[in-house]
Amino acid sequence: MTGLPARVPVTIITGFLGAGKTTLLRHILQKAQGHRIAVVVNEFGSLGIDGEILRGCGVEGCREDDIVELTNGCLCCTVADDFLPTMEALLDRADPPEHVVIETSGLALPKPLLKAFGWPTVRSRMTVDGVITVLDAPAVASGRFADDPEAVARQREADPSLDHDNPLAEVFEDQLNAADLIVLNKTDLLDAAQLDAVEAEVKKLCPRPVRIIRAQDGKVDPAVLLGLGAEAEADLQARPSHHDAEDGEHEHDDFESFVVTVPEQLSVERFLTLLQDVAARYDVLRMKGFATVQGKPMRLAVQGVGTRFRHEFDRLLTPQDARTGRIVVIGQKGLDEAAITAALAADAAATTAG
């Protein structure tokens, strides 16, 4: 070990809800080869799913206190209250990290976070090595983040005073604008022509040339992700934001989240079908969490983007664990919380009773 650099490098991983940021981060930790990496996880919603997934990664040398979880707000909005004290505490450790990786909320704007590295308490001790934007390739291919130009034109003709606003597109574009490297994830779900089309679309949206790499399940060599040397905090002008005129103020009033407690499930297949049905019926952007299944000794972890879900049994249940689960539901403002909660709980209760 040659000692710490003059400034500890920080990698910011950003990307929209469900793009695969936590999976990418877990892969980095699994390939850390003994390097001291501290992780700061920020989530939209009150249940710390991502931090729990990372703590259960089983990586040798990955200590409990190497993963710091912030669940009480978006980092881009709470840098003074939450983020800066966290960074200072990491730096002041007896064995400070060699590298810090920050996983932002899927609704975070990266630029206010970059600006925070100009604060006097951290600017001489840390530098942003790079901003990595993770993209859900199928979601981009489906036009999830794009405006329909014809629909927008019709709206404006009907009401010339309308200030069109697509919060999904704005967050997506801000995350692209900040990127030093783009990871096009979940490429196994598209064919070659679709991937080429997605890459072309992404390049068209980026304000400057940015390297794009393709990945499945977030499997990218950490040597590619870490050590970019971008010093991004000194390059803010090249990273435009939809919210530049707002002096960093940013609200998430367009989105909401809540947690649903679900009973023990009869089967994995039925539960996944239920989640897909609820996501489709109520236009849910993202669902993630844990459940228990009858006859199974391990906890079921589920993560979904729209109606696409992935699942795994992630750890053994203990006698102290409740036989219930908790699912975070995230969507645009106006979700029918009561109906979604009833659908998830009532159906499971009916199946377990039968």
Side-chain angles (χ1 to χ4, degrees):
M1 191 73 65
T2 58
L4 289 173
R7 292 194 293 168
V8 175
V10 178
T11 296
I12 296 173
I13 299 177
T14 188
F16 202 75
L17 298 164
K21 300 182 295 297
T22 304
T23 305
L24 180 79
L25 181 47
R26 182 161 57 173
H27 184 71
I28 291 174
L29 293 177
Q30 289 169 340
K31 303 293 183 181
Q33 298 181 328
H35 292 295
R36 294 197 307 275
I37 297 177
V39 174
V40 178
V41 180
N42 181 228
E43 295 197 67
F44 186 78
S46 60
L47 187 60
I49 297 295
D50 293 347
E52 193 164 348
I53 289 172
L54 292 168
R55 289 189 188 94
C57 65
V59 177
E60 185 178 352
C62 182
R63 304 173 305 181
E64 182 85 8
D65 61 355
D66 286 334
I67 298 172
V68 181
E69 195 167 14
L70 303 174
T71 59
N72 57 338
C74 174
L75 271 184
C76 65
C77 310
T78 59
V79 289
D81 295 334
D82 299 310
F83 168 69
L84 290 172
T86 297
M87 294 295 102
E88 292 163 17
L90 287 173
L91 291 170
D92 291 340
R93 284 183 177 181
D95 56 343
E98 299 171 284
H99 203 111
V100 176
V101 182
I102 300 171
E103 179 195 340
T104 69
S105 138
L107 298 174
L109 304 181
K111 194 164 183 179
L113 191 55
L114 290 175
K115 289 180 179 179
F117 284 92
W119 284 57
T121 52
V122 297
R123 67 185 177 196
S124 63
R125 305 173 71 188
M126 289 183 146
T127 181
V128 180
D129 180 66
V131 178
I132 298 169
T133 298
V134 185
L135 301 184
D136 181 327
V140 178
S142 69
R144 183 74 170 178
F145 311 113
D147 282 318
D148 179 344
E150 293 183 4
V152 174
R154 289 195 298 271
Q155 286 179 316
R156 285 179 172 154
E157 284 177 13
D159 183 359
S161 66
L162 178 66
D163 181 14
H164 179 71
D165 176 30
N166 181 340
L168 273 69
E170 286 192 2
V171 172
F172 175 71
E173 289 169 13
D174 270 30
Q175 291 170 347
L176 281 182
N177 291 348
D180 295 294
L181 178 69
I182 294 171
V183 176
L184 194 60
N185 200 25
K186 307 183 185 180
T187 56
D188 52 314
L189 302 180
L190 298 178
D191 61 31
Q194 290 172 315
L195 285 171
D196 289 343
V198 168
E199 274 204 24
E201 177 66 19
V202 170
K203 288 177 180 177
K204 190 168 62 176
L205 290 171
C206 288
R208 56 201 167 91
V210 178
R211 183 184 177 193
I212 299 174
I213 56 177
R214 299 180 180 185
Q216 298 179 21
D217 296 317
K219 293 178 180 177
V220 181
D221 187 342
V224 175
L225 304 173
L226 309 182
L228 297 178
E231 199 175 353
E233 74 279 8
D235 188 29
L236 296 178
Q237 291 298 108
R239 304 164 193 266
S241 166
H242 284 279
H243 298 266
D244 278 339
E246 301 172 16
D247 295 325
E249 290 298 321
H250 170 55
E251 299 294 337
H252 289 316
D253 291 342
D254 295 310
F255 304 94
E256 62 181 316
S257 74
F258 53 88
V259 180
V260 179
T261 299
V262 296
E264 185 174 50
Q265 301 299 309
L266 183 65
S267 73
V268 174
E269 294 74 19
R270 185 175 180 87
F271 187 48
L272 292 175
T273 298
L274 172 63
L275 293 174
Q276 291 168 337
D277 177 63
V278 169
R281 202 185 327 162
Y282 298 102
D283 195 24
V284 175
L285 289 174
R286 179 89 163 109
M287 281 195 275
K288 57 183 178 178
F290 306 105
T292 61
V293 182
Q294 286 185 14
K296 302 295 184 182
M298 299 187 74
R299 185 179 69 174
L300 178 69
V302 294
Q303 299 208 44
V305 180
T307 59
R308 290 184 288 111
F309 280 83
R310 296 190 177 192
H311 67 282
E312 64 175 337
F313 286 102
D314 69 333
R315 71 164 175 82
L316 281 169
L317 293 164
T318 70
Q320 290 73 38
D321 286 324
R323 299 299 297 187
T324 57
R326 302 182 77 194
I327 302 295
V328 179
V329 180
I330 305 173
Q332 290 188 269
K333 198 75 173 178
L335 284 176
D336 192 336
E337 180 175 351
I340 292 171
T341 300
L344 291 175
D347 187 273
T351 59
T352 56

